[in-house]
């Protein structure tokens, strides 16, 4: 069983503020979806997990300098910019 | 629907500029809502073609691009408020290739928000309507790419497919759509949802055009470390394929009546047998665990700092981050990020994520076994006909619509949805699956039965 507190905890981990209404709705939906996920408990066969499907291993490229984005291009989509830098929220109070 | 050949015939007698203007007018008046953004540049490109300055395999051909694929200088929203005003400073690899071959990018197509959906109903920009019945969905998540083809609003389209997002709208809109082998097409510039599952792929009005578009977009790119580094050149195979019917992939009566007719037709010319895939029982929950897990990690980048939706006031970081994401993401995106966060949280990793990856191994093995006996596998693409807009309100019911499409992404094999006529005036699609990098087999078979279907259905 998933409690309303569990839903708030997941929302906090995911850094998404949710309303009380949303929390109630998600709790109900998550319960049936997680119940559905729990079907996997029936799988007993123990095999190696597949993280990715192609037999690729350690794909490296030459470490060569190349032109990246200009400062102007990199900052073009940011709302808060100061002196040519991104401006973010406070991390330390 | 307009094929490349038909468009080229028109170009012999008419100016590309006039044809593209006509197309843009049609989009302007359209009720389908297939496009989020129309490219202003398209008419300039058409003029270039008329002056003889646009060359290549796709010279002068209007191509629609799904809005999760980055286009330099053209806003790329991913169907989300979060990226409503985002303008990429670079082109995706596939877009570079389209441009190199002279294609005219006509616009960015509507989609489920961050490709999370089966109906395009989760788009921040409104639902895409089915060209055959405006009260029904066009499928998703590449709904705009499917609808624009069926609605004569483009000649070719790019989609992306994480769990069926190319094949579902292809089926619902009566067009051809291919999810290529994982790694055949570079994902550089594709805004990520679930990296280990998704591929960009071609959509078109006939199999031949899918081949042409795949040849352009496939190939080496070192900027995607999961790129297989191989090119694609279609080789027609006349071989009499052995075709397997997957018992675990079905549909409702309306779909199965048509599918059984398809099987009868295929039996006339090919050796046909049945195959069981026991792992498929667990494919759907495994898929949703992996996809939401990857999504929860991928979408952590949306912090309202470097790009995307931002608030006026910068608060302390935890509050700011949570508020930006609360306001910028839609409900389905929040749902999936939270489900993924839950499945990956301490104490649950082994129960959900790791278990899902093990199921993935079992699904892969089932396909390996099937392909040791058959060249190709077939099934209905979708278990139902296109449903009414708003019909599926419960998320889990919606997820279950992906039952026939997700095993393909778990295994990473290629699969194509081919129109098999209409039932109750609505399109039906069949899914043709092949082994890794055997797109040529799928496409050869599809070309052959495409002409049969056109006669019969």
């Amino acid at each position: 069983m998933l409690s309303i507190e569990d839903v708030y905890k997941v929302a906090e981990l995911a850094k998404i503020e949710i309303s009380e209404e949303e929390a109630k709705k998600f709790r109900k939906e998550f319960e049936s979806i997680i119940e559905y996920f729990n079907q996997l408990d029936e799988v007993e066969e123990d095999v190696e997990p597949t993280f990715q499907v192609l037999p690729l291993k350690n794909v490296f490229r030459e470490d060569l300098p190349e032109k990246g984005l200009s400062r102007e291009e990199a900052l073009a989509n940011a709302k808060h910019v100061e002196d040519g830098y991104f401006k973010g929220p406070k991390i330390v109070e | 629907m307009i094929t490349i050949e038909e468009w080229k015939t028109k170009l012999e007698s008419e100016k590309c500029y006039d044809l593209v203007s006509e197309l843009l007018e049609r989009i302007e008046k359209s009720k389908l809502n297939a496009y989020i953004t129309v490219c202003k540049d398209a008419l300039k490109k058409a003029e270039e073609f008329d002056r003889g300055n646009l060359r290549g395999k796709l010279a002068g051909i209007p191509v629609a691009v799904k809005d999760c694929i980055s286009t330099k200088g053209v806003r790329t929203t991913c169907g989300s408020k979060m990226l409503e005003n985002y303008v990429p400073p670079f082109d995706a690899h596939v877009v570079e290739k389209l441009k190199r071959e002279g294609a005219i990018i006509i616009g960015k197509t509507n989609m489920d928000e961050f490709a999370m959906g089966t109906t395009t109903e989760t788009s921040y920009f409104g639902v895409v309507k089915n060209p055959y019945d405006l009260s029904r969905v066009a499928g998703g998540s590449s709904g705009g790419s499917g609808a624009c083809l069926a609605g004569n609003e483009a000649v070719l389209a790019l989609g992306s497919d994480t769990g069926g997002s190319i094949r579902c709208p292809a089926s619902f809109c009566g067009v051809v759509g291919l999810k290529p082998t994982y790694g055949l097409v570079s994902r550089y510039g594709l805004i990520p949802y679930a990296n280990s599952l998704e591929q960009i792929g071609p959509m078109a009005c006939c199999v031949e055009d899918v081949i042409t578009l795949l040849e352009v977009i496939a190939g080496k790119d070192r900027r995607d470390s999961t790129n297989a580094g191989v090119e694609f050149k279609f080789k027609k195979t006349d071989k009499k394929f052995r075709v397997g019917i997957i018992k675990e992939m079905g549909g409702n009566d309306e779909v199965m009546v048509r599918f059984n007719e398809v099987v009868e037709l295929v039996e006339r010319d090919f050796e046909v047998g049945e195959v069981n895939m026991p792992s498929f029982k667990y494919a759907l929950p495994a898929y949703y665990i992996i996809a939401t897990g990857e999504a929860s990690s991928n979408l952590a980048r949306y912090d309202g700092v470097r790009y995307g939706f931002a608030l006026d006031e910068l608060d302390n970081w935890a509050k700011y981050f949570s508020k930006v994401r609360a306001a910028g993401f839609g409900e389905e995106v929040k749902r999936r990020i939270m489900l993924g966060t839950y499945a990956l949280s301490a104490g649950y990793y082994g129960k959900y994520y790791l278990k899902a990856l093990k199921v993935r191994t079992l699904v892969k093995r089932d396909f390996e076994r099937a392909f040791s006996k058959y060249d190709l596998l077939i099934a209905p693409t979708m278990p139902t006909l296109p449903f009414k807009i708003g019909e599926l309100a419960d998320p889990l019911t919606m997820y279950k619509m992906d039952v026939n499409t997700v095993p393909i992404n778990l295994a990473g094999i290629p699969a194509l949805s081919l129109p098999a006529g209409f039932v109750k005036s609505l399109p039906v699609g069949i899914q043709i699956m092949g082994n890794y990098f055997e797109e040529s087999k799928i496409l050869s078979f599809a070309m052959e039965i495409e002409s049969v279907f056109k006669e019969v259905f």
Side-chain angles (χ1 to χ4, degrees):
Chain A
M1 281 298 262
L2 201 70
S3 69
I4 202 94
E5 286 73 32
D6 292 333
V7 176
Y8 280 119
K9 195 185 159 220
V10 172
E12 203 202 319
L13 287 172
K15 292 281 170 285
I16 299 172
E17 194 178 270
I18 54 168
S19 66
E20 205 183 318
E21 210 176 303
E22 280 177 304
K24 279 185 192 156
K25 189 168 187 283
F26 282 143
R27 195 196 69 82
K28 212 172 138 229
E29 290 165 353
F30 289 173
E31 215 163 58
S32 59
I33 295 168
I34 288 164
E35 173 82 29
Y36 189 66
F37 286 178
N38 285 339
Q39 276 188 70
L40 295 194
D41 290 343
E42 295 168 20
V43 181
E44 281 173 1
E45 210 171 332
D46 200 24
V47 292
E48 283 297 305
T50 298
F51 287 91
Q52 59 110 9
V53 294
L54 294 182
L56 295 171
K57 216 172 183 182
N58 296 338
V59 178
F60 295 121
R61 60 167 173 77
E62 292 296 304
D63 189 18
L64 297 170
E66 55 182 71
K67 225 178 147 229
L69 296 177
S70 67
R71 182 176 288 236
E72 203 183 28
E73 284 172 317
L75 294 173
N77 281 289
K79 187 179 179 112
H80 303 283
V81 172
E82 203 175 293
D83 302 329
Y85 291 95
F86 293 113
K87 192 177 173 189
K90 263 187 216 145
I91 293 169
V92 186
E93 283 296 326
Chain B
M1 293 200 287
I2 319 158
T3 63
I4 294 180
E5 198 185 336
E6 286 162 356
W7 185 264
K8 280 188 174 165
T9 310
K10 281 188 185 181
L11 282 176
E12 281 165 20
S13 55
E14 286 173 76
K15 274 194 169 144
C16 189
Y17 184 89
D18 294 337
L19 289 172
V20 171
S21 311
E22 206 181 291
L23 203 65
L24 292 173
E25 261 171 57
R26 197 175 311 134
I27 294 169
E28 177 81 24
K29 288 187 199 138
S30 172
K31 291 191 171 75
L32 300 178
N33 199 24
Y35 289 91
I36 293 174
T37 306
V38 170
C39 294
K40 291 179 199 129
D41 211 31
L43 282 172
K44 255 191 252 161
K45 286 280 168 198
E47 270 180 327
E48 255 183 66
F49 178 86
D50 290 331
R51 286 197 302 265
N53 294 336
L54 205 57
R55 291 184 203 90
K57 279 186 212 159
L58 299 177
I61 312 283
V63 184
V65 176
K66 188 179 181 183
D67 212 19
C68 54
I69 299 172
S70 305
T71 40
K72 187 174 181 172
V74 177
R75 81 166 174 158
T76 299
T77 70
C78 231
S80 181
K81 181 182 179 183
M82 187 59 91
L83 293 177
E84 190 177 1
N85 300 308
Y86 171 67
V87 180
F90 64 94
D91 274 328
H93 181 247
V94 291
V95 172
E96 287 174 355
K97 288 203 144 186
L98 288 179
K99 288 181 176 172
R100 211 173 297 154
E101 293 299 338
I104 298 175
I105 295 173
I106 198 94
K108 304 298 296 291
T109 57
N110 202 349
M111 56 184 281
D112 279 294
E113 185 177 3
F114 286 98
M116 298 176 185
T118 310
T119 58
T120 321
E121 286 168 294
T122 75
S123 170
Y124 176 65
F125 301 91
V127 64
V128 177
K129 292 174 180 141
N130 193 303
Y132 290 96
D133 179 349
L134 296 177
S135 72
R136 291 178 190 273
V137 299
S141 66
S142 313
S145 292
C148 74
L149 294 172
N152 299 321
E153 296 176 9
V155 175
L156 298 171
L158 289 183
S160 71
D161 191 314
T162 311
S165 285
I166 286 174
R167 291 160 285 153
C168 165
S171 175
F172 282 4
C173 295
V175 302
V176 190
L178 174 80
K179 188 216 78 94
T181 303
Y182 186 79
L184 183 63
V185 178
S186 167
R187 291 184 293 107
Y188 178 78
L190 171 68
I191 298 175
Y193 156 27
N195 321 50
S196 81
L197 300 162
E198 57 206 7
Q199 271 288 283
I200 296 170
M203 299 174 77
C205 302
C206 63
V207 177
E208 197 183 336
D209 290 356
V210 160
I211 295 171
T212 306
L213 186 52
L214 182 63
E215 284 183 340
V216 169
I217 61 171
K220 258 186 174 165
D221 182 23
R222 63 178 181 76
R223 295 168 299 185
D224 171 4
S225 63
T226 59
N227 180 260
V230 294
E231 304 292 321
F232 176 74
K233 181 83 192 82
F234 175 65
K235 275 188 224 81
K236 178 115 178 70
T237 324
D238 288 325
K239 211 180 120 199
K240 288 291 163 205
F241 299 116
R242 296 162 300 166
V243 180
I245 317 281
I246 299 181
K247 293 298 287 173
E248 286 78 3
M249 286 181 174
N252 65 13
D253 292 347
E254 292 166 332
V255 170
M256 287 317 283
V257 167
R258 175 51 49 90
F259 183 69
N260 292 332
E261 290 168 350
V262 165
V263 172
E264 276 174 36
L265 286 173
V266 173
E267 274 170 343
R268 283 189 205 166
D269 298 311
F270 301 91
E271 185 191 322
V272 176
E274 285 184 348
V275 57
N276 277 97
M277 311 291 259
S279 67
F280 283 16
K281 190 180 169 202
Y282 305 107
L284 197 67
Y287 167 81
Y288 272 95
I289 291 167
I290 296 169
T292 57
E294 291 187 19
S296 74
S297 152
N298 265 324
L299 273 67
R301 74 190 68 203
Y302 300 103
D303 57 4
V305 175
R306 292 155 300 161
Y307 43 74
F309 178 79
L311 297 168
D312 289 337
E313 290 296 321
L314 289 165
D315 205 329
N316 98 26
W317 81 273
K319 268 195 213 156
Y320 180 77
F321 209 66
S322 305
K323 284 198 161 86
V324 160
R325 292 157 66 79
F329 289 140
E331 191 183 293
E332 183 58 29
V333 175
K334 290 179 191 174
R335 189 179 291 120
R336 293 200 193 186
I337 292 175
M338 287 172 67
L339 279 169
T341 304
Y342 176 81
L344 288 174
S345 61
Y348 291 117
Y349 177 85
K351 182 174 163 65
Y352 296 114
Y353 190 67
L354 196 63
K355 200 62 175 273
L357 294 179
K358 287 179 179 177
V359 169
R360 193 173 191 178
T361 305
L362 298 175
V363 169
K364 224 177 144 217
R365 283 188 188 169
D366 273 352
F367 274 119
E368 277 163 18
R369 199 172 34 77
F371 286 124
S372 68
K373 214 170 156 200
Y374 299 101
D375 298 293
L376 300 164
L377 303 170
I378 60 169
T381 307
M382 294 300 290
T384 69
L385 297 172
F387 16 86
K388 291 266 187 192
I389 292 167
E391 192 179 326
L392 297 185
D394 170 56
L396 187 57
T397 314
M398 182 79 86
Y399 297 172
K400 286 180 180 170
M401 289 297 150
D402 302 340
V403 63
N404 291 353
T405 48
V406 297
I408 282 82
N409 302 75
L410 287 175
I413 59 164
L416 175 129
S417 182
L418 182 74
F422 296 82
V423 171
K424 293 185 174 167
S425 311
L426 295 168
V428 193
I430 68 149
Q431 178 169 238
I432 308 164
M433 295 149 267
N435 212 344
Y436 298 98
F437 301 106
E438 295 197 334
E439 276 81 356
S440 281
K441 273 192 190 172
I442 295 177
L443 294 160
S444 300
F445 175 75
M447 259 176 140
E448 228 173 297
I449 58 170
E450 179 183 45
S451 51
V452 178
F453 286 0
K454 274 184 184 153
E455 273 171 41
V456 181
F457 298 137

